[in-house]
Amino acid sequence: MIFPKTVKIVEVGPRDGLQAEVQNVPVDIRIQFINLLSEAGLKFIETGSFVSPHWVPQMKESDKVYQGITKKEGVDYSILVPNVQGYELALTNNVTSIAVFTAASETFCHKNINVSIAESLQNFKTFIPQAKAKGLRVRGYISCAIVCPYEGPIAPHAVHELVKKLLSLGCDEVSLGDTIGAATPLQVKNLLKNIPAPLHKIAVHFHDTYGQAIANIYTALEQGISIIDSSVSGLGGCPYAPGASGNVATEDVFYLLRGLGIRTDVQIEKLLKASIYIDTYLKRQTTSKASCALRGL
Ligand code: HMG
Ligand code: MG
């Protein structure tokens, strides 16, 4: 079996993780959390989102968070934006890396960003080319890439078409989201085989509701994927996806990759510091088995 030599981990805890918390985490805690993540060696960190504060109040003040973090050289600090208003906020705040998001399910797309899939792409067209011309990095997300909480299983070809469209709009990479964490390895294999894109531009984003995320990631690695999204301590969820639990934990991904001899930039002792920091603030127990074991719990 040939696995990639190195894997890029995209840490989404400060965004996907904290957006799903009942309580709003204050700016100073979010800043310290992100600083601990970058100190742990993570090179790609999604720091927040510029979305409607009526829709996702947990992500309010993402501008202050972005301004306050210590920008470590060589680290990509990104912000999620759904529309041109979010993009303009990104420019105002000198953000250098953005992530847009749509879905492979019409129902979910409406519930999440209040537009159809076609309208979402039309919206992205109004700012992605300009963002690229200004030198920003642009990631595209496709939610419900395998299963939708409203429409059930999603056909791979629908996702393939969207991947092509997002790349042709100028996205540097596309992340395929198992938003409700219901996918299993055979479905992952079927989605990834014959994907009409260079594999180094495809990321996988698994939530871990049914405990399948690590098996799914192993399958994705076998298929040649080398970009994995995760959330420290297994934080996460999506407010518009009933049943979605946390993202796969960064500690679990680290442990899998280390066992496969795949290099990452993560320093596990420091990662645990970030993990314990946020769990202590939130008064939550980690959902990551690897984190429990590595912490000696
Ligand atoms: P809308 O209500 O149709 O938008 O929402 P609107 O244009 O009518 O504006 C409504 C209000 O929102 C206005 O404010 C706008 O100014 C404001 P008001 O006048 O009422 O005070 N607004 C904004 N404010 C800040 N930033 C913006 C922005 N745009 C409008 N960018 C909208 C449409 C897209 C805004 C809304 O649906 C929204 O914010 N949705 C975000 C939902 C979200 O963040 N979901 C979670 C992230 S996606 C996810 O978790 C999945 C992922 O992890 C992958 C996976 O797991 O599958 C990425
Ligand atoms: Mg997600």
Side-chain angles (χ1 to χ4, degrees):
M1 191 62 60
I2 298 174
F3 290 111
K5 285 196 172 55
T6 60
V7 155
K8 163 176 158 184
I9 294 180
V10 179
E11 171 62 46
V12 296
R15 193 279 304 167
D16 210 344
L18 299 188
Q19 78 178 13
E21 285 301 319
V22 182
Q23 55 179 311
N24 290 4
V25 179
V27 169
D28 57 333
I29 303 289
R30 288 160 70 187
I31 291 172
Q32 175 62 2
F33 177 40
I34 293 167
N35 287 343
L36 288 170
L37 292 167
S38 67
E39 281 163 26
L42 288 156
K43 295 275 188 287
F44 297 85
I45 305 175
E46 209 165 78
T47 61
S49 56
F50 292 153
V51 298
S52 163
H54 310 299
W55 285 60
V56 187
Q58 294 91 333
M59 288 292 105
K60 266 188 209 166
E61 304 189 299
S62 285
D63 52 344
K64 294 198 180 109
V65 173
Y66 189 82
Q67 294 304 335
I69 48 187
T70 306
K71 306 282 182 337
K72 215 172 157 205
E73 212 183 317
V75 176
D76 177 281
Y77 297 96
S78 63
I79 292 264
L80 196 70
V81 304
N83 55 15
V84 71
Q85 199 171 328
Y87 167 64
E88 279 162 3
L89 284 169
L91 290 186
T92 313
N93 285 281
N94 297 316
V95 171
T96 53
S97 182
I98 57 171
V100 299
F101 53 112
T102 184
S105 140
E106 282 295 352
T107 315
F108 182 81
C109 200
H110 269 284
K111 292 206 186 271
N112 198 36
I113 48 175
N114 209 19
V115 285
S116 67
I117 299 168
E119 284 166 332
S120 72
L121 296 173
Q122 202 50 44
N123 288 343
F124 300 158
K125 215 173 176 175
T126 63
F127 64 90
I128 291 181
Q130 195 197 105
K132 287 310 304 165
K134 286 181 183 287
L136 273 73
R137 258 189 62 78
V138 182
R139 159 178 259 228
Y141 278 105
I142 302 176
S143 286
C144 303
I146 300 173
V147 191
C148 168
Y150 308 103
E151 295 183 10
I154 300 290
H157 76 82
V159 181
H160 292 180
E161 286 308 304
L162 264 179
V163 168
K164 283 198 276 188
K165 286 180 184 158
L166 286 170
L167 290 176
S168 73
L169 277 175
C171 287
D172 297 293
E173 71 186 32
V174 176
S175 175
L176 306 177
D178 177 21
T179 315
I180 56 165
T184 56
L186 195 54
Q187 291 172 306
V188 174
K189 192 170 176 178
N190 286 337
L191 172 63
L192 294 175
K193 75 175 181 213
N194 306 325
I195 196 152
L199 288 174
H200 69 271
K201 293 189 174 205
I202 301 296
V204 286
H205 178 108
F206 292 110
H207 288 258
D208 203 20
T209 318
Y210 286 86
Q212 303 294 299
I214 284 292
N216 289 336
I217 289 172
Y218 186 86
T219 304
L221 291 167
E222 281 185 324
Q223 298 297 307
I225 296 297
S226 59
I227 313 174
I228 297 171
D229 300 355
S230 62
S231 190
V232 75
S233 195
L235 295 168
C238 174
Y240 296 100
S245 70
N247 294 85
V248 65
T250 310
E251 294 94 316
D252 292 14
V253 172
F254 166 85
Y255 191 76
L256 172 75
L257 296 177
R258 189 174 68 178
L260 291 171
I262 298 173
R263 207 171 59 75
T264 65
D265 295 311
V266 173
Q267 296 172 45
I268 190 63
E269 291 305 326
K270 292 186 177 172
L271 185 72
L272 292 177
K273 230 174 123 183
S275 185
I276 291 167
Y277 175 80
I278 199 64
D279 284 348
T280 306
Y281 179 79
L282 294 170
K283 297 188 178 63
R284 77 185 275 277
Q285 301 290 326
T286 181
T287 53
S288 160
K289 287 205 161 187
S291 200
C292 277
L294 292 162
R295 293 182 198 184
L297 296 176

